[in-house]
Structure formats: C-alpha cells, structure tokens
C-alpha cells in the first residue's frame, strides 16, 4: 500500500473476491420477492402486478396488504384489514408531548424522524420479532399511525389543534380530514381528490432497494427495533437527491416561470459548464419512461380538472418542458425521461399540501414498502448483519510520535 499497490489478499480473505462498487451501481444487497423494476422497458411490478393495474383497480390499503402478504386481499380479507388498521390509527396521548418539544417551525421531516423513532419506546414487544404475531402488529401499527403522525406534524407547524382520526372514513379520506379538517366544522373530503392522493400513495409504496429502503434493511440487520429502523429510513428519504426531488422540481418550474423561457433552461441543462439539471428528469434505474411519471401526469390532470385549474401555469409549463425535452437529441441519447417527481409537486400543491410536507407524504406511503422489506429480511434464513467492506486508501502503518515531535 505504501507504494500505491493494494494487497487484495487481505481484503477478500474468505471469498478470494472483493469488489469496490461506489453507489452500489451493480451490486445486489439482497434477494427479494417484493418489487421488480425493468429500467429499460420502464416497468414496475409489485409482487408481479403492474403498477398501472394496481393504480387503476386497487386502493392503497389493498396495495399495502399485497406488499405485506404477497397476495391481494379478497373482499373479506380487505374488510378485515381495513378494520384492523382503523383500530390502530390513534397515537398514545403521551406522544403529543413529543410534538410540543419541537420548535413550532421545525421541518416536519425532522419531527417525523423523532416521533416515529419514539414509537419504539412505546411498543416494547416489537423487539420480539421472531414471533410472527408481534411482527404483524408492529407492521399494522406503522401503516395505521403514519397518517396520524404526518397530519399532526402539519397541524403543529400550522399552530392548529390536532384532529383525531375518524374511523367512518377510509384510510386516505381520514388522512385528508386530519390534515385539513378543523374542530369548527365537519370536513367533507372530495372523492376525486381523495382518489388522487390514494393513487399517489400507491405509486410511492415501494421501489426495491433505493437508498432509504437499503437504510431500513441495514439498520434492521443488527436486530434493531423496527420503529427505529423506519425512523432511519425517514432520515435517509429526507435528502434532496431522494425524497426531496419533487420540491426541487416545483422550485425549478417556478424559477422558469413562463413557457417562453423553457428553451433557455433546456439549453442550460445540456451545458456541461452549468451545474443546472432538469429536475424531475432522469433516473438511476429507468432508462425509459418512469411508469409512475405517466400515472402521475394523469393524476395531475384529473386533480387540476376537478379544481377548475386546467390552465394552471406550472402544469402548462411542465407539459411544454416535457414535450421539448422528449424531442431533444441530448435527452433522447442519454435516455432521460420524466420521473415520478416531475408532476407530483404540482399535484400535491393543487391538493393544498404545502411544499415542506411533500417528503412526509412520500414517507407515509413508503413506510409500507420499508416495513415489508424489513420483514422479508428478518425472516430470511440466509439473513446476516449488513456489513459492507471498504477500499482503504488512508495512511500506511506508522509510529505515533511523541507530542513534542509532532509538527
Ligand atoms: N438534466 C440534464 N442532464 C442530466 C439529467 C438531468 N436531469 N440527469 C442526468 N443527466 C446527464 C448527466 O449529466 C450525465 O451526463 P454525462 O454522461 O455527459 O456525464 C448523464 O445524463 C447520466 O446521468 P447521471 O447523473 O450519471 O445518472 P445517475 O443514474 O447517476 O443519476 C439522477 C440519476 C440522480 C436521478 C439524475 O438523473 C438527476 O440528477 N436527475 C434530476 C434530479 C431528480 O429528478 N431526481 C429524482 C429521481 S427519482 C426519485 O428519487 C424518487
């Protein structure tokens, strides 16, 4: 090593093979039966079912059941699951004290990292995850309580009273009630908007071994509390290169401001001396249309139509940007297509969700994928603690000098 030669015998001592793969570009970290992506075709399957069919025929709780159990529920199983989830929507009253410990203007993702992690202090049996019944109740608690936790983070930010869950409403309608309802009047959710948000949840429910899911698996591989593992996933999702991209895309559209300036920004995105990238374009795995982007574009049109905002400035701008980029040689050659984040900011904004909450919505939905992946890992007979190796490029062995001799 002193001569810049690395002795690989010490690195791959057991297997004789050692790979360095920064960013895990071509290394599988696990076997999985949950989600399949064909990046060249632009295909996404949950448990073998195309995302397009799930978004059309199922609601989010059915998709959650599918991810969790491997099969779609029949009518009786669906009803039973809905009831179980409704039984767990409340938070322990002591949890409200966690919220009041945060600054009023704390970022809601910071609040969520803390509050979801704190659930591990309330449900001690979650640590007994060799027992299937205990795993099951932890998973149900997470699916049920995340909407309550997200809505409470929002209400706390707004300085409004927390809204109790309403069990006469379905999962997503109840979430909208807790977000937008007030004690002064009964909130009447608009079914078109509820359905749109429900599809958004489905589109974000899982996406195989992305950064936050890998974080949950790695944290869980040591045998950590599952609620704490989900908190780790939320922390990872928070980053702008992951869950924060829809916010960046909305900001970019605002900055472009007008259809007449689209050409100028496309030119900038192609300029190697300019750090600007077209937000909501490109993906590590998809080298074709992100199928979620197509569905999101449709959801966006439905929501804007329902709200009479068909001529929304940002929507028109986004469509024009997409049209021009898809015809541009640079984007075609590099296989850069719109990703799920391209339209999601516009639609969430139209639903009345503030920008700072976008990633919380993502976390709410992805919790289903995270905890399903956690359970798959923890019940895998081949399961081992995750322990990546490294390529050491630091100082060679040397002697500690006495304090007086140090420069
Ligand atoms: N605008 C302009 N050029 C781009 C863009 C873009 N949005 N994305 C990639 N490129 C170019 C790169 O400059 C690179 O060019 P080069 O080959 O001349 O060096 C080439 O396309 C390949 O791009 P990489 O960044 O190497 O691809 P990678 O797989 O590492 O990155 C990523 C994918 C991070 C998503 C990237 O496309 C990007 O930054 N997009 C914008 C941010 C975004 O929308 N992120 C959301 C992703 S979806 C999600 O996380 C839920």
């Amino acid at each position: 090593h002193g001569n810049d030669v690395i002795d690989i015998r010490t690195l791959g001592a057991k297997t004789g093979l050692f790979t360095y793969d920064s960013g895990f570009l071509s290394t599988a970290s696990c076997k999985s039966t949950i989600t399949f992506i064909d990046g060249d075709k632009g295909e996404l399957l949950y448990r073998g079912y195309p995302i397009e069919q799930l978004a059309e025929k199922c609601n989010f709780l059915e998709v959650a059941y599918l991810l969790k159990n491997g099969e779609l529920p029949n009518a009786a199983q669906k009803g039973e699951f809905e009831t179980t989830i409704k039984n767990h929507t409340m938070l322990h009253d002591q949890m409200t004290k966690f919220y009041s410990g945060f600054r009023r203007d704390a970022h809601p993702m910071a609040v969520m990292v803390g509050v979801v992690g704190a659930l591990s202090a309330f449900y001690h049996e979650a640590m007994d995850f060799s027992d299937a019944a205990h795993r099951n109740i932890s998973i149900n608690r997470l699916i049920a309580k995340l909407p309550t936790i997200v809505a409470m983070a929002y209400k706390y930010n707004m300085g409004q009273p927390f809204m109790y869950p309403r069990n006469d409403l379905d999962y997503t309608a109840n979430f909208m009630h807790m977000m937008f309802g007030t004690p002064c009047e009964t909130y009447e959710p608009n079914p078109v908007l509820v359905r749109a948000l429900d599809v958004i949840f489905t589109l974000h429910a899982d996406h195989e071994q992305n950064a936050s899911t890998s974080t949950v698996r790695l944290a869980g591989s040591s045998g950590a509390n599952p609620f704490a593992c989900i908190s780790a996933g939320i922390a990872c999702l928070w980053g702008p290169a992951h869950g924060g991209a829809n916010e960046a895309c909305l900001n970019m559209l605002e900055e472009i401001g007008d259809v007449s300036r689209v050409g100028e920004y496309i030119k900038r995105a192609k300029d190697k001396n300019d750090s600007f990238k077209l937000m909501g374009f490109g993906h590590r795995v998809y080298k074709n249309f992100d199928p979620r982007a197509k569905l999101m574009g449709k959801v966006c049109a439905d929501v804007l139509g329902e709200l009479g905002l068909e001529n929304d400035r940002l929507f028109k701008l986004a469509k024009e940007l997409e049209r021009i980029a898809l015809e541009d040689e640079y984007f075609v050659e590099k296989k850069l297509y719109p990703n799920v984040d391209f339209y999601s900011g516009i639609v969430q904004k139209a639903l009345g969700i503030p920008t700072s909450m976008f990633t919380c919505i993502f976390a709410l939905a992805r919790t289903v994928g995270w905890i399903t992946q956690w359970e798959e890992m923890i019940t895998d007979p081949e399961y081992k603690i995750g322990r990546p190796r490294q390529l050491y490029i630091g100082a060679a062995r040397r002697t500690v000098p006495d304090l007086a001799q140090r420069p």
Side-chain angles (χ1 to χ4, degrees), residues 29 214 217-223 377 383-389:
S29 60
S214 301
R217 278 188 178 254
L218 195 57
S221 77
S222 72
M377 179 199 62
Y383 139 76
K384 289 186 178 68
I385 185 168
R387 199 332 183 161
R389 300 299 304 274

Side-chain angles (χ1 to χ4, degrees), residues 103 111 232 248 315 359:
R103 268 173 61 143
V111 174
F315 186 54
T359 321

